[in-house]
Amino acid sequence: MTALFALATSLLWGLADFGGGLLTRRTPALTVVVVSQCIAAAVLGVVVVATGAWSEAGDRLWFAVAAGAVGPVAMLSFYKALALGPMGVVSPLGSLGVAVPVGVGLIVGEHPGLLQFGGVAVAVAGVVLAGGPQLRGAPVQRRAVALTLLAAFGFGAVMTLIAEASTTVTGLFLALFVQRVTNIAVGGTALYASVRRGGRALPEEGGAAVVRAALPALAFVGLADVAANGTYAIAAQYGPVTVAAVLASLYPVVTALAARGVLGERLRGIQAAGAGLALIGTVLLATG
């Protein structure tokens, strides 16, 4: 069950990242973050009320608050990096955040078997290679790498925190709602500060009409991100965090394939080899 939910996480995060990267090419990244999270929070609010999840409120929700505070910083950094592109290069570097939950899992006493350790090494190497590493080049490329590494740490922290935010399904609904509300508060404050400094909240061309037209895509990005957080939390509860985190970190392969299919970004030999290694690592982890 851990492998199933963790792989679902990688699929959802990969598609959400692809959608978010596309949207930030026309719409300011902070606006994408805030609007997508507002839609997600509205849907989760209905779910919380319908399931009576308020009864699950407790001290664990502070983990959700912390995840909500870190999340917008990570998402903003990552969306900006994706906008600089190419997605197939930027996205795999974001998976390096897997080091945070894996490290925490080892610290708290998890002991993966030898086969699983091999799977971790192979999968992480494959994900990085799937991006076709390009650490040299123009300043824009170096900036994209720096933003992605910042986002990676944030993503790893969110994975660790959200896994601790609840122990039941209804409690998870409440934790995800609290996380989104915090996302909106932090992201909204940053957006307001940006506008006060002369930044834009709306696209230069088209303005609010562009945002309205993009609402379905924004809804997809926000809801896919929520679902991914939920499936990861379940995966981490039912099995070793070290395994769940690595399998969930395969999302860059999904983003790279989506960029290939939709945008026509061509995969180089090293990227194809990396995708293959990621799949081998997945098999080792799932069977170890």
Side-chain angles (χ1 to χ4, degrees):
M1 183 173 288
T2 295
L4 178 64
F5 279 103
L7 289 173
T9 300
S10 66
L11 175 63
L12 290 165
W13 264 334
L15 294 176
D17 285 348
F18 175 71
L22 279 182
L23 288 167
T24 53
R25 293 185 175 185
R26 293 194 64 188
T27 305
L30 271 173
T31 301
V32 171
V33 171
V34 173
V35 175
S36 64
Q37 297 307 303
C38 281
I39 296 172
V43 173
L44 279 170
V46 173
V47 174
V48 166
V49 172
T51 59
W54 291 114
S55 61
E56 300 285 340
D59 291 341
R60 281 182 172 269
L61 285 181
W62 287 111
F63 288 108
V65 172
V70 173
V73 178
M75 284 190 288
L76 176 61
S77 299
F78 199 54
Y79 287 169
K80 282 187 173 181
L82 285 171
L84 293 173
M87 289 186 184
V89 173
V90 170
S91 185
L93 294 178
S95 68
L96 294 178
V98 70
V100 178
V102 167
V104 170
L106 294 175
I107 289 172
V108 299
E110 289 188 357
H111 300 290
L114 183 61
L115 195 60
Q116 289 180 324
F117 266 122
V120 168
V122 172
V124 172
V127 169
V128 174
L129 291 177
Q134 293 181 3
L135 299 181
R136 293 179 299 174
V140 170
Q141 292 176 316
R142 290 197 292 270
R143 182 187 176 203
V145 170
L147 286 169
T148 306
L149 292 178
L150 174 62
F153 178 80
F155 289 149
V158 169
M159 291 170 72
T160 302
L161 292 165
I162 203 63
E164 297 294 328
S166 67
T167 56
T168 65
V169 174
T170 52
L172 179 58
F173 290 145
L174 180 59
L176 292 174
F177 175 71
V178 170
Q179 181 190 11
R180 260 59 210 174
V181 170
T182 309
N183 281 346
I184 294 167
V186 174
T189 300
L191 180 59
Y192 175 76
S194 174
V195 172
R196 287 292 300 269
R197 293 195 302 268
R200 297 185 63 87
L202 298 173
E204 291 186 17
E205 297 182 6
V210 172
V211 177
R212 285 195 298 269
L215 283 177
L218 288 163
F220 173 79
V221 169
L223 293 174
D225 183 56
V226 165
N229 277 266
T231 53
Y232 175 74
I234 294 173
Q237 288 174 8
Y238 280 93
V241 172
T242 48
V243 174
V246 172
L247 290 178
S249 74
L250 297 179
Y251 64 87
V253 176
V254 177
T255 304
L257 292 175
R260 163 68 173 170
V262 177
L263 301 179
E265 288 188 1
R266 300 186 63 181
L267 294 179
R268 296 186 295 148
I270 191 172
Q271 291 176 295
L277 283 176
L279 293 176
I280 293 172
T282 299
V283 173
L284 292 174
L285 283 165
T287 58

